[in-house]
Amino acid sequence: MSSHAALSLPRRRLASVYQRLLATYRPQHWWPADSPFEVMVGAVLTQNAAWANVERALANLKRHRCLSAPGILDLDQEQLADWLRPSGYFNIKAGRLRNFCQWYCNAGGVRRLRRRDTASLRYQLLSVNGIGPETADDILLYAFERPVFVIDAYTRRLFSRLGLISGNEGYETLRHAFERALGPDTKVFNEYHALIVRHAKDVCRVRPLCLRCELRRYCQTGKLA
DNA sequence: TACCAGGAGAAAA
DNA sequence: TTTTCTCATGGT
């Protein structure tokens, strides 16, 4: 029995927002990576960091042919941190990435991990120091293609401004609410989260107030763009 | 100069 | 149990 508070979200409204985002931005083809393992590394590095800076850190690992769990574990912490520097919090992230790679190797790699059910995989990911709910769900959705809805700051902001949530709900409360409302659809979860991020970047990076204006327009006219 | 970006964990209250 | 603090670079 889960302990999260129940929250009901309007299925049709969520579907409508999704369709409007999709019509505006087209499919995003997430996650931008060449392999499931690169997705996982990117998920750790993108914690509180701009993706462009994460790409630089990933490029450093690729350039030195170290974008693999054994490759990362073979590096000393100082070298790894130096290559992760562009993504910020490099000392913290070097430790987190090593923790994750240790777990990944112990678990037998992606093929063995794929055999596990989603709940146990999520539980194990969360047991790794440095993997929190959002990072775990990024990995489950984009690396393992499991129907898990990722809740991030953009999701909270968008749906609180649309008046569907307060924005202060717990992570699990929101995740379960979105999953119940949308149904267990990996493809939709993948695209929905990517579109939310795309929308937030598109509007907020240019001018923060635009998002509010646009959502007000959405509430009045039903049109996002 | 100040703020933000695809958070998480430890410490303090 | 909840809130606050810390980690840090790079772009706007």
Side-chain angles (χ1 to χ4, degrees):
Chain A
M1 191 72 170
S2 56
S3 58
H4 58 87
L7 171 68
S8 181
L9 290 171
R11 179 188 307 269
R12 292 183 64 179
R13 193 86 189 279
L14 291 192
S16 169
V17 171
Y18 175 69
Q19 290 301 332
R20 289 168 195 282
L21 287 169
L22 188 59
T24 302
Y25 298 108
R26 315 309 300 171
Q28 300 297 301
H29 306 293
W30 268 29
W31 182 290
D34 296 327
S35 68
F37 184 75
E38 186 178 340
V39 172
M40 299 181 214
V41 174
V44 173
L45 297 186
T46 199
Q47 292 169 1
N48 215 34
W51 181 253
N53 296 330
V54 173
E55 287 185 317
R56 291 179 183 162
L58 286 169
N60 285 339
L61 292 174
K62 284 183 181 176
R63 189 180 312 120
H64 295 93
R65 300 181 182 283
C66 288
L67 189 52
S68 66
I72 288 169
L73 290 172
D74 279 345
L75 296 170
D76 64 68
Q77 185 100 351
E78 195 175 341
Q79 178 65 82
L80 178 58
D82 190 49
W83 289 343
L84 301 185
R85 186 177 293 270
S87 69
Y89 300 131
F90 50 87
N91 288 316
I92 295 284
K93 287 178 180 175
R96 289 178 180 176
L97 202 49
R98 287 180 61 84
N99 291 340
F100 172 76
C101 288
Q102 194 65 64
W103 170 81
Y104 181 87
C105 286
N106 291 343
V110 69
R111 287 188 181 179
R112 281 186 181 274
L113 287 168
R114 278 205 178 107
R115 297 177 194 160
R116 298 193 185 174
D117 66 84
T118 302
S120 83
L121 198 47
R122 189 170 195 273
Y123 180 81
Q124 295 233 348
L125 280 166
L126 290 173
S127 74
V128 179
N129 190 297
I131 305 292
E134 184 179 335
T135 305
D137 292 342
D138 276 335
I139 291 171
L140 288 168
L141 178 59
Y142 292 105
F144 290 99
E145 300 177 340
R146 304 299 173 92
V148 175
F149 198 89
V150 178
I151 305 297
D152 65 359
Y154 292 150
T155 308
R156 288 179 188 276
R157 186 170 61 195
L158 175 59
F159 288 96
S160 65
R161 287 181 177 177
L162 286 172
L164 300 182
I165 64 173
S166 74
N168 297 320
E169 295 88 348
Y171 185 96
E172 295 303 308
T173 299
L174 288 176
R175 181 172 73 85
H176 285 287
F178 277 91
E179 289 176 0
R180 271 197 307 272
L182 294 169
D185 190 327
T186 301
K187 192 176 175 186
V188 168
F189 290 3
N190 175 320
E191 197 59 53
Y192 211 147
H193 177 60
L195 286 165
I196 289 167
V197 175
R198 175 70 179 82
H199 173 68
K201 283 181 177 177
D202 185 54
V203 182
C204 295
R205 281 177 67 87
V206 178
R207 194 168 297 139
L209 282 178
C210 285
L211 178 60
R212 200 175 302 164
C213 297
E214 186 169 346
L215 291 175
R216 188 180 299 128
R217 187 163 63 242
Y218 170 73
C219 292
Q220 291 168 347
T221 68
K223 293 179 180 175
L224 260 177

